Amino acid sequence: MLFRSTVPSGGGSWNYIFKTLNAGSSPTGTIVFFEVQGDVRTFTSHSSPNSSSVYPGLAQRLTVTMSGVFNTGQSAYIRYHTGADFSAATIIKLTYSGSGNDYYADIPASANRYGTTVTYYFFTSGSGLTISNDDADLFTINYLNNGGSNYSYQVNGTWLAESDGVWSSASTWNVNMVPPLSHSMGPVTIKSNVTFNQNATVSSLTINSDKTFTASGSEPVTLTVDANASGTTLNNNGTWVQGNGGNTVVFSAGADMTHTVSGEIPFQHVTISRSSGIPAVGVNFGSNSTVSGTLKLTVGSYVNTNAPTYLSGSYLQYSIGSAYDRNVEWSQNSGNAYPHHVKISDNTTLNAFNGTTSPRQIAGNLIIDNGSTFSMGEMNLGGSYDVGIIIGGDTLLNKGTVTLSTSVERLQCNTYLGETGSTLILSGVYGGDLELKGDYTNLGNFTSNSRALFFTGSAGDQNITFSGGQQFDYMIVHKSAGNVVLGNDIQINKLLTLTSGLITSKTGNSYSVIMGDSPDSPSIKNASAVSYIDGKLRQTFTSAMPLQYPVGKGGEYRPVTFEY
């Protein structure tokens, strides 16, 4: 209920407006009143904008004409929402345009997402108030709401790069505006040659034929592709070049969906990252995508159907923060889906098995960060293979945990480097051994689990260095060239098998091979003139039996046997 009283004052009249709700039936007892020092102004006209001229990521100005300039005590406001109704609406005070009787408000860029409908109406109230959404009706003096239907516009404008230039220049775009940094531009089409030189968010990006998109200028930039429905969100019909500054493409989503990449795109860095509350977001990279930097998977992200081709020196990084099963992103041993380096970080546990029926390998290094785990799980390839995982690069660098769990297949790498605080656990099941083509350096923790270390390098010596207390249950030396060189005394508790290659010490040192109590007899097998211990050997025995010492010196095999 609204009650209005006019009181003469000096040369004019002051108006007092009293307002309450439900005065006739269920009065609330709440009353507000306004003092307007002159005539009470009313609305005369407003025209909604054309939806095709409202561009995502930009503020939209709405103008209304009043019956006159406001007198002290009265102002105009706009109430708008982008949802189902006004229950979560926003109220903004209008600003005088500086001429005539026009007032305006800017609907912020954050509300203007592509395809969104913005519904609104105008009302007047007291001057300079902060009006809560719940109090809007109570505080209304008069209003303009399109005859009860309210006003609305839809955000349907499309950003088109129609002139050659840089992304950050207004003259590049049909809108003649500088693209926003922090709000989505919606679908964008590149119809000219454009250099991407500032961060931006789009719902999709299309590069027309015969046009070149340079993905960075002189500084690193990030292109975020944030969509709400599955479909082709990155479509290159022209040419994509990386540029000099460095580029990251982030695939994000406001819904459970899959991005699809079409055309040939040489990505540098890619991150797949879902929004909070969204179950998952995937990317289908198509058949012509490459990654030269890092493809980073975060919580709730995955590669769908087609992985990119990982170029030499690139990284596949698992940054999930929880357990994750190796999948499409690492599913081949050549071509696409065949990683170069793999990195596990941010407290992620990677299960490398996930049902594969053939060995999985990478071309480069495997890096496990502190707090993260690489697990072979229960890998069992059905007896057709001995090796389940092959690390083809120089190093398996372990700062966290490597576990072969219950795998019956070996883990093969060149150099194993375990940093202080790391953990290496061989399998608890027969066959789950560690095979080394290079050095074994372990400054962390080691659990042998009655499994073997294989030394099978074919080029040069293999060095063994570790922190105190490590003991090995089984060791096999089977080298086609070079020797196993000790940097510590080593203890082998069960069986040492020598087939080719010597065990010797680093120059200037004389370390010992110590054989512990063993159920196997003898505890050293297959020694010969091409494979023996060139140095000290110490054996422990608990019963009278012939004890063999397959040792040598100066390149000569000089075995010794003790009879009891």
Side-chain angles (χ1 to χ4, degrees), residues 455-515:
F455 290 87
T456 60
S458 60
D461 293 338
Q462 293 178 255
N463 297 287
I464 300 179
T465 306
F466 54 84
S467 58
Q470 293 186 32
Q471 298 181 11
F472 308 101
D473 287 328
Y474 294 89
M475 182 179 293
I476 293 92
V477 178
H478 184 74
K479 293 175 56 60
S480 57
N483 301 313
V484 173
V485 180
L486 303 182
N488 304 81
D489 292 339
I490 63 168
Q491 180 166 329
I492 302 170
N493 290 326
K494 296 187 177 182
L495 180 64
L496 170 62
T497 300
L498 299 167
T499 57
S500 55
L502 309 184
I503 296 180
T504 185
S505 295
K506 289 183 178 179
T507 302
N509 296 285
S510 182
Y511 295 111
S512 296
V513 176
I514 303 168
M515 303 302 301

Short mmCIF file of all heavy atoms in Angstrom, two decimals, residues 455-515:
data_model
loop_
_atom_site.label_atom_id
_atom_site.label_comp_id
_atom_site.label_asym_id
_atom_site.label_seq_id
_atom_site.Cartn_x
_atom_site.Cartn_y
_atom_site.Cartn_z
N PHE A 455 70.16 -56.38 -13.77
CA PHE A 455 71.08 -55.45 -14.42
C PHE A 455 71.35 -55.99 -15.82
O PHE A 455 72.06 -56.99 -15.99
CB PHE A 455 72.37 -55.30 -13.62
CG PHE A 455 72.18 -54.56 -12.33
CD1 PHE A 455 71.81 -55.22 -11.17
CD2 PHE A 455 72.35 -53.18 -12.28
CE1 PHE A 455 71.61 -54.54 -9.98
CE2 PHE A 455 72.16 -52.48 -11.10
CZ PHE A 455 71.79 -53.16 -9.94
N THR A 456 70.76 -55.34 -16.83
CA THR A 456 70.77 -55.89 -18.19
C THR A 456 71.25 -54.85 -19.22
O THR A 456 70.92 -54.97 -20.41
CB THR A 456 69.36 -56.37 -18.59
OG1 THR A 456 68.44 -55.27 -18.52
CG2 THR A 456 68.87 -57.48 -17.66
N GLY A 457 72.01 -53.87 -18.78
CA GLY A 457 72.46 -52.84 -19.70
C GLY A 457 73.35 -53.37 -20.81
O GLY A 457 74.15 -54.28 -20.60
N SER A 458 73.21 -52.79 -21.99
CA SER A 458 73.96 -53.26 -23.15
C SER A 458 75.04 -52.28 -23.59
O SER A 458 75.72 -52.51 -24.59
CB SER A 458 73.01 -53.51 -24.33
OG SER A 458 72.32 -52.32 -24.67
N ALA A 459 75.20 -51.19 -22.84
CA ALA A 459 76.19 -50.18 -23.23
C ALA A 459 76.85 -49.61 -21.98
O ALA A 459 76.29 -48.78 -21.29
CB ALA A 459 75.54 -49.06 -24.04
N GLY A 460 78.04 -50.08 -21.68
CA GLY A 460 78.80 -49.50 -20.58
C GLY A 460 78.45 -50.05 -19.21
O GLY A 460 77.60 -50.92 -19.06
N ASP A 461 79.12 -49.48 -18.20
CA ASP A 461 78.95 -49.94 -16.82
C ASP A 461 77.64 -49.45 -16.23
O ASP A 461 77.07 -48.43 -16.64
CB ASP A 461 80.11 -49.43 -15.97
CG ASP A 461 81.45 -50.05 -16.35
OD1 ASP A 461 81.44 -51.14 -16.97
OD2 ASP A 461 82.49 -49.44 -16.04
N GLN A 462 77.18 -50.18 -15.21
CA GLN A 462 76.01 -49.78 -14.41
C GLN A 462 76.47 -49.65 -12.96
O GLN A 462 77.00 -50.61 -12.37
CB GLN A 462 74.88 -50.81 -14.52
CG GLN A 462 74.27 -50.87 -15.90
CD GLN A 462 73.18 -51.93 -16.01
OE1 GLN A 462 73.40 -52.99 -16.59
NE2 GLN A 462 72.03 -51.65 -15.44
N ASN A 463 76.26 -48.47 -12.38
CA ASN A 463 76.72 -48.19 -11.03
C ASN A 463 75.62 -48.43 -10.01
O ASN A 463 74.43 -48.14 -10.27
CB ASN A 463 77.20 -46.74 -10.93
CG ASN A 463 78.38 -46.48 -11.82
OD1 ASN A 463 79.50 -46.90 -11.54
ND2 ASN A 463 78.14 -45.77 -12.93
N ILE A 464 76.00 -48.92 -8.84
CA ILE A 464 75.07 -49.11 -7.72
C ILE A 464 75.53 -48.22 -6.58
O ILE A 464 76.65 -48.35 -6.07
CB ILE A 464 75.04 -50.57 -7.23
CG1 ILE A 464 74.59 -51.51 -8.35
CG2 ILE A 464 74.12 -50.70 -6.03
CD1 ILE A 464 74.56 -52.98 -7.94
N THR A 465 74.64 -47.30 -6.15
CA THR A 465 74.90 -46.42 -5.01
C THR A 465 73.62 -46.29 -4.22
O THR A 465 72.55 -46.05 -4.81
CB THR A 465 75.36 -45.02 -5.46
OG1 THR A 465 76.48 -45.15 -6.35
CG2 THR A 465 75.74 -44.16 -4.27
N PHE A 466 73.70 -46.42 -2.91
CA PHE A 466 72.48 -46.30 -2.09
C PHE A 466 72.85 -45.88 -0.69
O PHE A 466 74.00 -45.95 -0.27
CB PHE A 466 71.69 -47.62 -2.08
CG PHE A 466 72.50 -48.83 -1.66
CD1 PHE A 466 72.68 -49.15 -0.33
CD2 PHE A 466 73.08 -49.64 -2.63
CE1 PHE A 466 73.41 -50.25 0.05
CE2 PHE A 466 73.83 -50.75 -2.26
CZ PHE A 466 74.00 -51.05 -0.91
N SER A 467 71.81 -45.41 0.03
CA SER A 467 72.02 -45.05 1.43
C SER A 467 72.01 -46.31 2.28
O SER A 467 71.56 -47.38 1.85
CB SER A 467 70.93 -44.08 1.90
OG SER A 467 69.65 -44.65 1.72
N GLY A 468 72.50 -46.21 3.51
CA GLY A 468 72.74 -47.36 4.36
C GLY A 468 71.51 -48.18 4.65
O GLY A 468 70.38 -47.69 4.69
N GLY A 469 71.74 -49.50 4.81
CA GLY A 469 70.69 -50.38 5.28
C GLY A 469 69.93 -51.13 4.21
O GLY A 469 69.16 -52.04 4.52
N GLN A 470 70.10 -50.78 2.94
CA GLN A 470 69.36 -51.48 1.89
C GLN A 470 69.95 -52.86 1.67
O GLN A 470 71.17 -53.04 1.62
CB GLN A 470 69.38 -50.68 0.59
CG GLN A 470 68.60 -49.38 0.67
CD GLN A 470 68.51 -48.68 -0.67
OE1 GLN A 470 68.48 -49.33 -1.71
NE2 GLN A 470 68.47 -47.36 -0.64
N GLN A 471 69.04 -53.84 1.54
CA GLN A 471 69.44 -55.21 1.25
C GLN A 471 68.60 -55.72 0.09
O GLN A 471 67.43 -55.36 -0.06
CB GLN A 471 69.25 -56.11 2.47
CG GLN A 471 70.11 -55.69 3.67
CD GLN A 471 69.92 -56.61 4.86
OE1 GLN A 471 69.30 -57.68 4.76
NE2 GLN A 471 70.47 -56.21 6.00
N PHE A 472 69.21 -56.56 -0.72
CA PHE A 472 68.54 -57.10 -1.90
C PHE A 472 68.32 -58.59 -1.69
O PHE A 472 69.19 -59.28 -1.16
CB PHE A 472 69.38 -56.85 -3.15
CG PHE A 472 69.79 -55.40 -3.30
CD1 PHE A 472 71.07 -54.99 -2.95
CD2 PHE A 472 68.90 -54.45 -3.76
CE1 PHE A 472 71.46 -53.66 -3.08
CE2 PHE A 472 69.27 -53.12 -3.90
CZ PHE A 472 70.55 -52.72 -3.55
N ASP A 473 67.18 -59.08 -2.13
CA ASP A 473 66.92 -60.52 -2.00
C ASP A 473 67.50 -61.28 -3.19
O ASP A 473 68.20 -62.27 -3.01
CB ASP A 473 65.42 -60.78 -1.88
CG ASP A 473 64.88 -60.35 -0.53
OD1 ASP A 473 65.63 -60.45 0.45
OD2 ASP A 473 63.72 -59.91 -0.44
N TYR A 474 67.20 -60.82 -4.38
CA TYR A 474 67.72 -61.48 -5.59
C TYR A 474 68.36 -60.42 -6.49
O TYR A 474 67.87 -59.30 -6.59
CB TYR A 474 66.59 -62.17 -6.37
CG TYR A 474 65.98 -63.34 -5.65
CD1 TYR A 474 64.90 -63.14 -4.79
CD2 TYR A 474 66.45 -64.63 -5.84
CE1 TYR A 474 64.32 -64.21 -4.12
CE2 TYR A 474 65.88 -65.72 -5.18
CZ TYR A 474 64.81 -65.50 -4.32
OH TYR A 474 64.24 -66.55 -3.66
N MET A 475 69.46 -60.82 -7.16
CA MET A 475 70.09 -59.94 -8.14
C MET A 475 70.53 -60.78 -9.32
O MET A 475 71.10 -61.86 -9.15
CB MET A 475 71.27 -59.19 -7.53
CG MET A 475 71.94 -58.22 -8.52
SD MET A 475 73.32 -57.31 -7.77
CE MET A 475 72.47 -56.30 -6.57
N ILE A 476 70.24 -60.28 -10.52
CA ILE A 476 70.63 -60.95 -11.75
C ILE A 476 71.49 -60.01 -12.56
O ILE A 476 71.09 -58.86 -12.83
CB ILE A 476 69.41 -61.39 -12.59
CG1 ILE A 476 68.63 -62.49 -11.86
CG2 ILE A 476 69.83 -61.87 -13.96
CD1 ILE A 476 67.51 -61.98 -11.00
N VAL A 477 72.68 -60.45 -12.93
CA VAL A 477 73.58 -59.67 -13.78
C VAL A 477 73.64 -60.35 -15.14
O VAL A 477 74.15 -61.47 -15.27
CB VAL A 477 74.99 -59.56 -13.17
CG1 VAL A 477 75.91 -58.77 -14.09
CG2 VAL A 477 74.91 -58.89 -11.80
N HIS A 478 73.07 -59.67 -16.14
CA HIS A 478 72.99 -60.25 -17.48
C HIS A 478 73.22 -59.12 -18.48
O HIS A 478 72.30 -58.58 -19.07
CB HIS A 478 71.62 -60.91 -17.69
CG HIS A 478 71.48 -61.59 -19.01
ND1 HIS A 478 72.09 -62.79 -19.29
CD2 HIS A 478 70.81 -61.25 -20.14
CE1 HIS A 478 71.79 -63.16 -20.53
NE2 HIS A 478 71.02 -62.23 -21.07
N LYS A 479 74.51 -58.77 -18.67
CA LYS A 479 74.88 -57.62 -19.47
C LYS A 479 75.61 -58.06 -20.73
O LYS A 479 76.46 -58.94 -20.68
CB LYS A 479 75.78 -56.68 -18.67
CG LYS A 479 75.09 -56.00 -17.50
CD LYS A 479 76.06 -55.17 -16.64
CE LYS A 479 76.79 -54.14 -17.46
NZ LYS A 479 75.88 -53.16 -18.13
N SER A 480 75.29 -57.41 -21.83
CA SER A 480 75.99 -57.72 -23.07
C SER A 480 77.24 -56.87 -23.24
O SER A 480 78.07 -57.15 -24.12
CB SER A 480 75.05 -57.51 -24.27
OG SER A 480 74.54 -56.19 -24.29
N ALA A 481 77.40 -55.86 -22.38
CA ALA A 481 78.62 -55.03 -22.41
C ALA A 481 78.74 -54.34 -21.06
O ALA A 481 77.75 -53.99 -20.43
CB ALA A 481 78.56 -54.01 -23.54
N GLY A 482 79.98 -54.12 -20.61
CA GLY A 482 80.21 -53.41 -19.37
C GLY A 482 79.99 -54.26 -18.14
O GLY A 482 79.69 -55.46 -18.22
N ASN A 483 80.16 -53.62 -16.97
CA ASN A 483 80.08 -54.32 -15.69
C ASN A 483 79.11 -53.62 -14.75
O ASN A 483 78.66 -52.50 -15.01
CB ASN A 483 81.47 -54.36 -15.03
CG ASN A 483 82.50 -55.06 -15.91
OD1 ASN A 483 82.24 -56.13 -16.43
ND2 ASN A 483 83.66 -54.42 -16.07
N VAL A 484 78.82 -54.27 -13.63
CA VAL A 484 78.10 -53.66 -12.51
C VAL A 484 79.15 -53.16 -11.53
O VAL A 484 79.98 -53.95 -11.05
CB VAL A 484 77.14 -54.65 -11.85
CG1 VAL A 484 76.53 -54.04 -10.59
CG2 VAL A 484 76.05 -55.09 -12.83
N VAL A 485 79.12 -51.85 -11.25
CA VAL A 485 80.17 -51.22 -10.45
C VAL A 485 79.58 -50.78 -9.11
O VAL A 485 78.62 -50.01 -9.07
CB VAL A 485 80.77 -50.01 -11.20
CG1 VAL A 485 81.87 -49.37 -10.37
CG2 VAL A 485 81.32 -50.45 -12.56
N LEU A 486 80.18 -51.26 -8.02
CA LEU A 486 79.67 -50.98 -6.68
C LEU A 486 80.18 -49.65 -6.16
O LEU A 486 81.36 -49.34 -6.28
CB LEU A 486 80.09 -52.08 -5.71
CG LEU A 486 79.67 -53.52 -6.06
CD1 LEU A 486 80.12 -54.47 -4.94
CD2 LEU A 486 78.17 -53.61 -6.29
N GLY A 487 79.27 -48.87 -5.56
CA GLY A 487 79.64 -47.67 -4.82
C GLY A 487 79.41 -47.85 -3.34
O GLY A 487 79.57 -46.91 -2.56
N ASN A 488 78.98 -49.06 -2.95
CA ASN A 488 78.75 -49.46 -1.55
C ASN A 488 79.00 -50.95 -1.44
O ASN A 488 78.97 -51.67 -2.43
CB ASN A 488 77.28 -49.23 -1.13
CG ASN A 488 76.79 -47.82 -1.32
OD1 ASN A 488 76.43 -47.43 -2.42
ND2 ASN A 488 76.76 -47.07 -0.23
N ASP A 489 79.21 -51.41 -0.20
CA ASP A 489 79.05 -52.83 0.06
C ASP A 489 77.57 -53.17 -0.19
O ASP A 489 76.68 -52.39 0.16
CB ASP A 489 79.39 -53.18 1.51
CG ASP A 489 80.87 -53.02 1.82
OD1 ASP A 489 81.68 -53.04 0.87
OD2 ASP A 489 81.19 -52.85 3.01
N ILE A 490 77.31 -54.32 -0.82
CA ILE A 490 75.91 -54.72 -1.02
C ILE A 490 75.67 -56.07 -0.38
O ILE A 490 76.56 -56.93 -0.37
CB ILE A 490 75.52 -54.77 -2.51
CG1 ILE A 490 76.32 -55.83 -3.27
CG2 ILE A 490 75.68 -53.41 -3.17
CD1 ILE A 490 75.75 -56.11 -4.67
N GLN A 491 74.46 -56.24 0.17
CA GLN A 491 74.08 -57.51 0.76
C GLN A 491 72.94 -58.11 -0.04
O GLN A 491 71.92 -57.48 -0.26
CB GLN A 491 73.65 -57.35 2.22
CG GLN A 491 73.24 -58.69 2.86
CD GLN A 491 73.13 -58.62 4.36
OE1 GLN A 491 73.86 -57.85 4.99
NE2 GLN A 491 72.24 -59.42 4.93
N ILE A 492 73.15 -59.37 -0.47
CA ILE A 492 72.14 -60.12 -1.22
C ILE A 492 71.73 -61.30 -0.35
O ILE A 492 72.55 -62.16 -0.02
CB ILE A 492 72.70 -60.59 -2.57
CG1 ILE A 492 73.18 -59.39 -3.39
CG2 ILE A 492 71.66 -61.39 -3.33
CD1 ILE A 492 73.96 -59.75 -4.63
N ASN A 493 70.48 -61.35 0.02
CA ASN A 493 70.04 -62.30 1.04
C ASN A 493 69.74 -63.69 0.51
O ASN A 493 69.80 -64.66 1.26
CB ASN A 493 68.81 -61.77 1.76
CG ASN A 493 69.14 -60.57 2.63
OD1 ASN A 493 70.23 -60.50 3.21
ND2 ASN A 493 68.23 -59.61 2.71
N LYS A 494 69.38 -63.81 -0.79
CA LYS A 494 68.92 -65.11 -1.25
C LYS A 494 69.72 -65.67 -2.42
O LYS A 494 70.29 -66.75 -2.32
CB LYS A 494 67.43 -65.04 -1.59
CG LYS A 494 66.59 -64.74 -0.35
CD LYS A 494 65.10 -64.82 -0.60
CE LYS A 494 64.35 -64.59 0.71
NZ LYS A 494 62.90 -64.69 0.56
N LEU A 495 69.77 -64.97 -3.53
CA LEU A 495 70.42 -65.56 -4.69
C LEU A 495 70.99 -64.48 -5.60
O LEU A 495 70.31 -63.52 -5.94
CB LEU A 495 69.43 -66.43 -5.48
CG LEU A 495 69.97 -67.13 -6.73
CD1 LEU A 495 71.06 -68.14 -6.35
CD2 LEU A 495 68.85 -67.83 -7.49
N LEU A 496 72.25 -64.68 -6.01
CA LEU A 496 72.89 -63.85 -7.02
C LEU A 496 73.12 -64.72 -8.25
O LEU A 496 73.78 -65.77 -8.17
CB LEU A 496 74.23 -63.32 -6.50
CG LEU A 496 75.14 -62.64 -7.54
CD1 LEU A 496 74.47 -61.40 -8.13
CD2 LEU A 496 76.49 -62.28 -6.91
N THR A 497 72.55 -64.27 -9.39
CA THR A 497 72.72 -65.01 -10.65
C THR A 497 73.62 -64.20 -11.56
O THR A 497 73.33 -63.04 -11.88
CB THR A 497 71.35 -65.25 -11.32
OG1 THR A 497 70.51 -66.00 -10.44
CG2 THR A 497 71.53 -66.01 -12.62
N LEU A 498 74.72 -64.82 -11.98
CA LEU A 498 75.71 -64.17 -12.85
C LEU A 498 75.72 -64.90 -14.18
O LEU A 498 76.04 -66.09 -14.24
CB LEU A 498 77.09 -64.21 -12.21
CG LEU A 498 77.24 -63.52 -10.85
CD1 LEU A 498 78.57 -63.90 -10.19
CD2 LEU A 498 77.16 -62.01 -11.03
N THR A 499 75.37 -64.18 -15.25
CA THR A 499 75.41 -64.82 -16.57
C THR A 499 76.38 -64.11 -17.51
O THR A 499 77.08 -64.76 -18.27
CB THR A 499 74.01 -64.87 -17.22
OG1 THR A 499 73.50 -63.54 -17.31
CG2 THR A 499 73.05 -65.71 -16.38
N SER A 500 76.42 -62.77 -17.46
CA SER A 500 77.39 -62.03 -18.27
C SER A 500 77.61 -60.67 -17.66
O SER A 500 76.66 -60.01 -17.23
CB SER A 500 76.90 -61.89 -19.72
OG SER A 500 75.62 -61.30 -19.78
N GLY A 501 78.87 -60.26 -17.57
CA GLY A 501 79.23 -59.02 -16.90
C GLY A 501 79.77 -59.26 -15.51
O GLY A 501 79.30 -60.14 -14.78
N LEU A 502 80.78 -58.48 -15.12
CA LEU A 502 81.41 -58.63 -13.81
C LEU A 502 80.73 -57.72 -12.79
O LEU A 502 80.07 -56.75 -13.13
CB LEU A 502 82.89 -58.26 -13.89
CG LEU A 502 83.73 -58.92 -14.99
CD1 LEU A 502 85.19 -58.49 -14.83
CD2 LEU A 502 83.59 -60.43 -14.98
N ILE A 503 80.94 -58.03 -11.50
CA ILE A 503 80.63 -57.12 -10.41
C ILE A 503 81.97 -56.63 -9.88
O ILE A 503 82.80 -57.43 -9.42
CB ILE A 503 79.82 -57.79 -9.29
CG1 ILE A 503 78.45 -58.23 -9.83
CG2 ILE A 503 79.64 -56.83 -8.12
CD1 ILE A 503 77.58 -58.92 -8.77
N THR A 504 82.17 -55.33 -9.95
CA THR A 504 83.44 -54.75 -9.52
C THR A 504 83.18 -53.49 -8.70
O THR A 504 82.03 -53.16 -8.42
CB THR A 504 84.33 -54.46 -10.75
OG1 THR A 504 85.60 -54.00 -10.32
CG2 THR A 504 83.69 -53.41 -11.65
N SER A 505 84.22 -52.82 -8.29
CA SER A 505 84.09 -51.62 -7.46
C SER A 505 84.56 -50.39 -8.23
O SER A 505 85.33 -50.49 -9.19
CB SER A 505 84.91 -51.75 -6.17
OG SER A 505 84.40 -52.78 -5.36
N LYS A 506 84.10 -49.22 -7.76
CA LYS A 506 84.59 -47.98 -8.35
C LYS A 506 86.10 -47.87 -8.18
O LYS A 506 86.66 -48.38 -7.21
CB LYS A 506 83.91 -46.79 -7.69
CG LYS A 506 82.43 -46.64 -8.05
CD LYS A 506 81.83 -45.39 -7.43
CE LYS A 506 80.37 -45.22 -7.85
NZ LYS A 506 79.76 -44.01 -7.24
N THR A 507 86.73 -47.22 -9.10
CA THR A 507 88.19 -47.08 -9.08
C THR A 507 88.66 -46.52 -7.74
O THR A 507 88.12 -45.54 -7.23
CB THR A 507 88.64 -46.14 -10.21
OG1 THR A 507 88.18 -46.67 -11.46
CG2 THR A 507 90.15 -46.01 -10.23
N GLY A 508 89.64 -47.18 -7.17
CA GLY A 508 90.21 -46.73 -5.90
C GLY A 508 89.49 -47.26 -4.69
O GLY A 508 89.84 -46.93 -3.55
N ASN A 509 88.45 -48.09 -4.87
CA ASN A 509 87.69 -48.65 -3.76
C ASN A 509 87.66 -50.16 -3.88
O ASN A 509 87.94 -50.73 -4.94
CB ASN A 509 86.26 -48.10 -3.74
CG ASN A 509 86.22 -46.61 -3.50
OD1 ASN A 509 86.41 -46.14 -2.40
ND2 ASN A 509 85.98 -45.85 -4.59
N SER A 510 87.32 -50.80 -2.79
CA SER A 510 87.20 -52.25 -2.78
C SER A 510 86.00 -52.62 -1.93
O SER A 510 86.12 -52.87 -0.73
CB SER A 510 88.47 -52.90 -2.23
OG SER A 510 88.36 -54.31 -2.28
N TYR A 511 84.83 -52.61 -2.55
CA TYR A 511 83.60 -52.93 -1.82
C TYR A 511 83.32 -54.42 -1.89
O TYR A 511 83.81 -55.13 -2.77
CB TYR A 511 82.43 -52.14 -2.40
CG TYR A 511 82.58 -50.64 -2.20
CD1 TYR A 511 82.81 -49.80 -3.29
CD2 TYR A 511 82.52 -50.08 -0.93
CE1 TYR A 511 82.96 -48.43 -3.12
CE2 TYR A 511 82.67 -48.72 -0.75
CZ TYR A 511 82.89 -47.89 -1.84
OH TYR A 511 83.04 -46.56 -1.65
N SER A 512 82.49 -54.85 -0.96
CA SER A 512 82.23 -56.29 -0.82
C SER A 512 80.81 -56.63 -1.27
O SER A 512 79.88 -55.84 -1.10
CB SER A 512 82.38 -56.72 0.65
OG SER A 512 83.70 -56.54 1.09
N VAL A 513 80.70 -57.85 -1.83
CA VAL A 513 79.39 -58.48 -2.02
C VAL A 513 79.20 -59.42 -0.83
O VAL A 513 80.02 -60.32 -0.59
CB VAL A 513 79.33 -59.27 -3.34
CG1 VAL A 513 77.99 -60.00 -3.44
CG2 VAL A 513 79.53 -58.34 -4.53
N ILE A 514 78.13 -59.18 -0.07
CA ILE A 514 77.86 -59.96 1.15
C ILE A 514 76.64 -60.81 0.90
O ILE A 514 75.55 -60.30 0.64
CB ILE A 514 77.63 -59.03 2.35
CG1 ILE A 514 78.82 -58.10 2.54
CG2 ILE A 514 77.36 -59.84 3.61
CD1 ILE A 514 78.56 -56.97 3.52
N MET A 515 76.84 -62.15 0.95
CA MET A 515 75.72 -63.07 0.78
C MET A 515 75.18 -63.44 2.15
O MET A 515 75.90 -63.94 3.00
CB MET A 515 76.16 -64.32 0.01
CG MET A 515 76.76 -64.04 -1.36
SD MET A 515 75.65 -63.14 -2.48
CE MET A 515 74.25 -64.25 -2.56
#
